[in-house]
Amino acid sequence: MKLICLIIALSLLFPASGFAHELPDLGDVSQATITPHQERQIGLQIMRQIRADPSYLDDPEIASYLSNLGHKLIANSDEASAGQSFEFFAVQDPSINAFALPGGFMGFNSGLIVAAQSESELAAVMSHEIAHVTQKHLARMIASQKYDWVKSIAAVAVAIIASRANSQASQAVLVASQASMIQSKLDFTRKHEREADRIGLNILLDAGFDPQGMSVFFERLQRAGRFHENGAPSYLRTHPITYERIADIQNRTREMPYRQVPDSIDFLLVRAKLRTLQGKPHDAVVQFKTRLDEKRYSNEVVERYGYTHALLRDKKTKQAGIELAHLYQLLQVNPSTPVLTDHVLGKTVRVEYKNIIAGAMIETLSASVKLANGQITEAFNTYKNALKVYPQHRALMHGYAQALIQNKQTETALEFINKQLQLIQNDVQLFNLQAQCYALLGDRMLEHRALAESYMLKGHYAGAIDQLQTALKSSNGNFYQLSSVEARLKQVQALKAEEEKEQK
């Protein structure tokens, strides 16, 4: 299931834009209707369903890129209030769409990221979604409809669960809960769209991106909808793009000086990686190879990276190793190593490294290819060297820990994971890997304690409670460990009780 029900319903509830000076100033009224904490809890409930769905892209590199881009936009804007939480995530879906949820959660379809021809275009869409959150459009809707919208959100969550068993049943739930109010609120949501355009454009500018990215992306989507009516991008259906909106953006940017903003290498690599995940593995291999053979690319390093990824996904490990060597040859011709200028000898002196550190994403891919080809020592050396340069790159952390576990170095893996968790306490995968280590070592209590923390980070209180109760039934824990688990169980039970109270 590709979250179609969720995206359509929530995009109608919280469409992605708005340009209205005449919106009512709700002030304390909206806060009296729904508090930031309540809004966050609603978002967490919906996110539980999203994270449990196969289309949720639980990829640390893609998630990290989206998070870095999103927080760059927020950091350079004064729109976000103190304490406002944001979480950016990707959904494996070829359709072009993005959506904002209550509580600062923002989802981006892989199809939209791939369709963006520049980082400024992707940043424009993201700025637009951020504006929906900062302008409290959800609170405004709830203020006008009281608790009807909260009930509708709950219906969406029910629909997601029902769709796994019966898609028709889930659609019936949505139709019953949404049909009576969607039409009556269309005018109001169009105002939200215009306001999010205006605020989003300011966020885009303040972060240093090309303001033309917003109008260019919207124009391309509009052309796609005009010439391919039956296959129009879903973003057009959930975020109606009108000529007036595009004209308004163009009027605002017409007098602005030209700003050429180069795309970051992370943006290019993430797009290439997402392209490798589209369709069947073999088809992705053919597409990348064709582009390389015909030299239809703007950056050969990025294209070679994608081709190597596609080969690895297609289990053509030997060919992936050959292409990886080609990739490193390109990097040697144009290495990303430091350069000393104005040297006393009067010429540029390049600092050479025995092992080129090509970038975190390329190094992660390199280690994966070497592991797939049985080059265990080389893979470990790649992980170790890369982690010295990129100690916070989570894909490197996860890959290194998994490689240690797979090669029966469980205690070394556990030591490494525990060290990382001292610095990073919100990484679900690290807790899952920690639980895997404890399971292999026969420590059931600490295994279930680690799984409980994983459930907690996903907002699944009931699952965390089950894991902690199971941990207490284990006989291998000492007094200190058991006391710690009991204390944590009480904390989680209190949080669950508070959540249930707010739902009533």
Side-chain angles (χ1 to χ4, degrees), residues 58 106 131 140 158 229 255 269 300 331 380 451 499:
D58 189 15
M106 279 163 270
R140 296 185 186 195
V158 172
E229 184 175 351
E255 303 301 323
L269 292 177
E300 188 176 357
L331 292 168
F380 280 140
L451 287 174
E499 179 186 74

Side-chain angles (χ1 to χ4, degrees), residues 408-472:
K408 303 186 186 309
Q409 300 182 46
T410 307
E411 292 183 353
T412 303
L414 183 59
E415 182 181 356
F416 172 76
I417 292 166
N418 288 341
K419 187 180 296 184
Q420 302 308 315
L421 284 172
Q422 290 177 2
L423 303 172
I424 306 170
Q425 298 176 347
N426 65 342
D427 191 313
V428 172
Q429 181 64 3
L430 280 179
F431 279 111
N432 289 335
L433 289 167
Q434 185 188 53
Q436 190 176 347
C437 288
Y438 282 130
L440 290 170
L441 295 172
D443 193 330
R444 282 181 52 78
M445 191 201 74
L446 292 182
E447 173 196 353
H448 291 287
R449 169 65 193 265
L451 287 174
E453 295 306 319
S454 172
Y455 277 109
M456 279 295 295
L457 287 172
K458 292 182 286 190
H460 201 316
Y461 297 147
I465 289 171
D466 287 342
Q467 292 297 327
L468 290 169
Q469 290 173 337
T470 302
L472 288 174

Side-chain angles (χ1 to χ4, degrees), residues 298-337:
S298 58
N299 187 314
E300 188 176 357
V301 168
V302 172
E303 208 66 23
R304 290 280 174 192
Y305 166 85
Y307 185 35
T308 306
H309 236 302
L311 287 165
L312 188 61
R313 183 186 172 215
D314 200 25
K315 299 186 174 13
K316 291 182 168 58
T317 57
K318 289 184 179 180
Q319 184 62 32
I322 294 171
E323 288 304 319
L324 183 68
H326 290 166
L327 178 57
Y328 274 94
Q329 286 174 359
L330 282 173
L331 292 168
Q332 286 178 325
V333 174
N334 296 296
S336 57
T337 49

Side-chain angles (χ1 to χ4, degrees), residues 1-3 50 52-58 90-93:
M1 201 272 284
K2 294 182 178 179
L3 298 176
I50 294 177
D53 194 274
S55 64
Y56 176 71
L57 256 176
D58 189 15
V91 174
Q92 181 65 21
D93 190 321

Side-chain angles (χ1 to χ4, degrees), residues 217-332:
F217 190 67
F218 286 173
E219 281 183 293
R220 190 183 309 118
L221 290 185
Q222 193 177 57
R223 285 196 300 271
R226 186 168 66 249
F227 293 117
H228 306 283
E229 184 175 351
N230 292 333
S234 50
Y235 199 85
L236 290 178
R237 298 192 297 271
T238 57
H239 306 72
I241 297 173
T242 62
Y243 287 106
E244 290 78 9
R245 281 180 58 195
I246 294 174
D248 199 353
I249 297 168
Q250 290 173 336
N251 288 335
R252 292 176 184 276
T253 59
R254 183 172 291 117
E255 303 301 323
M256 296 177 182
Y258 173 70
R259 178 184 288 177
Q260 185 175 10
V261 183
D263 297 328
S264 70
I265 187 64
D266 286 343
F267 167 73
L268 297 174
L269 292 177
V270 163
R271 284 182 75 244
K273 186 174 186 178
L274 285 170
R275 282 165 51 207
T276 70
L277 300 176
Q278 292 182 332
K280 297 179 180 179
H282 177 70
D283 293 341
V285 169
V286 172
Q287 289 173 10
F288 274 97
K289 188 176 188 307
T290 301
R291 288 168 65 94
L292 284 165
D293 290 344
E294 298 176 357
K295 299 188 183 302
R296 291 189 293 111
Y297 50 76
S298 58
N299 187 314
E300 188 176 357
V301 168
V302 172
E303 208 66 23
R304 290 280 174 192
Y305 166 85
Y307 185 35
T308 306
H309 236 302
L311 287 165
L312 188 61
R313 183 186 172 215
D314 200 25
K315 299 186 174 13
K316 291 182 168 58
T317 57
K318 289 184 179 180
Q319 184 62 32
I322 294 171
E323 288 304 319
L324 183 68
H326 290 166
L327 178 57
Y328 274 94
Q329 286 174 359
L330 282 173
L331 292 168
Q332 286 178 325

